[in-house]
Amino acid sequence: MYDLIIRNSTIVTEAELLHADVGITDQQIVAIAPELAGTAGDMIDARGLHLFPGGIDPHVHCNEPGRTDWEGFATATAALAAGGVTCCFDMPLNAHPPTCDVAAFDAKLAALKPNALIDVALWGGLVPGNLAELDGLAERGVIGFKAFMSTSGTSDFVAADDLTLYEGMRRAASLGKIVAVHAENDTITTELARRAIADGRLGVRDYLASRPIIAELEAIGRAIVLASETGCALHIVHVSTGRGIALVAEAQARGIDVSCETCPHYLILTEADVERIGALAKCAPPLRTAEHIDALWQHVRNGTVPMISSDHSPAPADMKIGENFFAIWGGISGCQSTLSLLLTEGYTRRGISLSQVAALTAGGTARRFGLWPAKGQIAIGADADLALVDLNHEAELHAEDLFYRHKHSPYVGMRLRGRVVRTFVRGATVFRDGQVHTTGSGHFVGVGNKS
């Protein structure tokens, strides 16, 4: 007797595609076989559908507490569930106060528990002056510590200078925690922006020119040196160029414990799209040229990019307008579309296998951040975090399809392949046929200390 049997689906693992049934009991996968015998409290015929491991998005800004007019756990996790994501890592900003001390962590956890539809892990912050707070945050089970090497865009989360990074990495290493960095050189980006604004050059191309590739490459290189010297595990978020990925791969070859992620917007949109779409496509690092997109896809194909994050960074519509492009909020709303974007651009157009899509959206993140083997895979003993997907479905994305608090995204208007039919978090349906279900509830996922 199982709680649930999913019959006749095509199971997507990192190694192969399997035509089999999946048996679920007590929130876990307990059986996988071509034809499971026995009965179940619920039975689903998934013939014609593909069963993916539930996605894990390591980079999301839910903005709660303090900025729920920007998003919030309820709407962010509903959108993630609609996209087949069953676990996300919430960044310490743009919540207010940011998660830089134990009190802020406790406030965020209190906001998360009644509102999150999917499982959520939390990043702590690494900022000047909070070195003494890292132990307490680690004790509460944060994934690791996030730092900005350039201005964050909010006054309550200050960029980390080199001494802060050095001392923070030393402490993180002793705590067994990873440090994630937004890698752009602050001096280069800030001064180029200041000059442009002073000259009255306030357009899209002026903003793009203020954040050149060298600013990203220099910061990645500097972070790698600091991590190497301190013995700290390092993660570079939202790398926008193949040259940045190459720096990480070269460091890995030297034995340095470093990883990276990129995002769908860097794999699909170009700087020309920023001019066409406008502020909905503004981000930092900025979008690059088609040549850089091709280089990123080559690294994805080669396996040197282990994971794809959304870097979902939403804001109200009135923060995405204005004559001064530098002053407009820079962040892309996109966490609902990650899987469909990869199925459209990666699987359909570029020949990336479904197994690799599963690795990019689930397995790679689970392994890097200590959630494997409970999460990130379809295997006996793993949490029953699953997404049923209709690969044959193709449709244009409309604003009304989005579950975000503010229904805007640069992907609206695109024709996307792959519709998430049903999403399960630990065996409970949280999304089905375009509707959010509340039969399942999200848990806080602590790493290393609490769970």
Side-chain angles (χ1 to χ4, degrees), residues 190-435:
T190 298
E191 181 59 19
L192 288 178
R194 187 199 65 78
R195 291 178 188 176
I197 294 168
D199 292 342
R201 295 181 282 111
L202 307 176
V204 171
R205 285 288 174 179
D206 303 309
Y207 169 77
L208 295 173
S210 75
R211 305 188 90 96
I213 290 170
I214 185 58
E216 184 175 12
L217 298 181
E218 189 281 331
I220 291 173
R222 181 158 36 101
I224 288 171
V225 169
L226 290 168
S228 177
E229 288 298 311
T230 58
C232 178
L234 174 66
H235 183 67
I236 312 294
V237 301
H238 52 49
V239 180
S240 71
T241 73
R243 292 171 66 188
I245 303 294
L247 288 178
V248 172
E250 290 163 6
Q252 290 171 340
R254 300 196 304 272
I256 299 172
D257 187 2
V258 57
S259 58
C260 64
E261 67 190 48
T262 191
C263 308
H265 41 274
Y266 297 121
L267 291 166
I268 293 169
L269 301 174
T270 69
E271 56 187 21
D273 290 315
V274 190
E275 290 188 299
R276 176 179 59 84
I277 297 170
L280 295 182
K282 180 186 176 184
C283 56
L287 301 180
R288 308 297 188 185
T289 64
E291 289 76 16
H292 289 287
I293 287 178
D294 289 339
L296 280 176
W297 274 112
Q298 189 58 49
H299 282 290
V300 169
R301 188 182 303 279
N302 293 343
T304 46
V305 177
M307 68 192 79
I308 306 293
S309 76
S310 68
D311 188 12
H312 178 67
S313 185
D318 61 4
M319 295 180 66
K320 302 294 284 183
I321 58 176
E323 296 299 319
N324 180 353
F325 204 75
F326 287 88
I328 292 169
W329 177 257
I332 285 178
S333 295
C335 67
Q336 185 172 325
S337 303
T338 297
L339 179 58
S340 289
L341 289 164
L342 290 177
L343 291 173
T344 303
E345 186 65 26
Y347 170 65
T348 303
R349 297 178 183 165
R350 294 180 181 261
I352 301 298
S353 72
L354 293 178
S355 290
Q356 192 166 9
V357 170
L360 291 165
T361 57
T365 300
R367 281 190 294 270
R368 177 55 170 163
F369 295 105
L371 302 186
W372 188 276
K375 292 188 181 296
Q377 62 171 336
I378 300 177
I380 293 174
D383 290 352
D385 297 338
L386 305 162
L388 269 175
V389 179
D390 180 0
L391 283 186
N392 294 319
H393 184 272
E394 184 177 326
E396 182 177 317
L397 180 66
H398 299 286
E400 55 266 29
D401 299 327
L402 300 174
F403 285 83
Y404 311 135
R405 184 173 300 279
H406 304 285
K407 298 182 183 300
H408 53 238
S409 170
Y411 308 124
V412 168
M414 290 187 179
R415 289 195 65 81
L416 299 180
R417 180 175 183 182
R419 179 175 66 95
V420 175
V421 175
R422 193 161 177 170
T423 303
F424 306 85
V425 174
R426 287 171 280 102
T429 296
V430 295
F431 179 82
R432 180 181 181 183
D433 294 329
Q435 299 294 322

Side-chain angles (χ1 to χ4, degrees), residues 59-85:
H59 193 152
V60 175
H61 297 266
C62 294
N63 302 337
E64 189 172 1
R67 290 192 173 100
T68 50
D69 57 323
W70 292 24
E71 188 67 276
F73 283 114
T75 51
T77 59
L80 286 156
V85 178

Side-chain angles (χ1 to χ4, degrees), residues 3-249:
D3 295 337
L4 170 67
I5 295 177
I6 302 173
R7 294 200 182 276
N8 303 315
S9 70
T10 300
I11 300 170
V12 182
T13 76
E14 292 185 22
E16 59 184 341
L17 303 185
L18 299 172
H19 298 281
D21 300 343
V22 175
I24 296 165
T25 297
D26 293 332
Q27 304 184 8
Q28 291 188 326
I29 298 170
V30 296
I32 300 173
E35 292 186 28
L36 279 180
T39 60
D42 190 13
M43 194 123 25
I44 298 169
D45 186 352
R47 195 180 310 274
L49 302 177
H50 284 70
L51 189 65
F52 283 79
I56 306 174
D57 192 331
H59 193 152
V60 175
H61 297 266
C62 294
N63 302 337
E64 189 172 1
R67 290 192 173 100
T68 50
D69 57 323
W70 292 24
E71 188 67 276
F73 283 114
T75 51
T77 59
L80 286 156
V85 178
T86 55
C87 180
C88 71
F89 301 174
D90 184 47
M91 284 293 171
L93 72 165
N94 300 303
H96 180 74
T99 318
C100 296
D101 57 39
V102 166
F105 177 96
D106 291 345
K108 179 172 280 194
L109 189 61
L112 181 162
K113 285 183 175 180
N115 292 305
L117 196 68
I118 67 171
D119 289 350
V120 181
L122 299 179
W123 286 99
L126 173 58
V127 295
N130 86 321
L131 186 65
E133 301 290 341
L134 303 188
D135 289 58
L137 289 168
E139 174 61 28
R140 276 162 167 72
V142 294
I143 285 285
F145 305 107
K146 167 71 179 297
F148 267 72
M149 299 176 74
S150 61
T151 302
S152 72
T154 60
S155 60
D156 55 5
F157 198 92
V158 181
D161 56 83
D162 286 349
L163 181 59
T164 295
L165 279 177
Y166 174 64
E167 292 182 334
M169 285 184 177
R170 286 180 61 187
R171 191 67 198 139
S174 71
L175 294 168
K177 292 294 182 182
I178 194 167
V179 169
V181 296
H182 175 129
E184 285 184 289
N185 181 294
D186 191 51
T187 300
I188 293 174
T189 55
T190 298
E191 181 59 19
L192 288 178
R194 187 199 65 78
R195 291 178 188 176
I197 294 168
D199 292 342
R201 295 181 282 111
L202 307 176
V204 171
R205 285 288 174 179
D206 303 309
Y207 169 77
L208 295 173
S210 75
R211 305 188 90 96
I213 290 170
I214 185 58
E216 184 175 12
L217 298 181
E218 189 281 331
I220 291 173
R222 181 158 36 101
I224 288 171
V225 169
L226 290 168
S228 177
E229 288 298 311
T230 58
C232 178
L234 174 66
H235 183 67
I236 312 294
V237 301
H238 52 49
V239 180
S240 71
T241 73
R243 292 171 66 188
I245 303 294
L247 288 178
V248 172

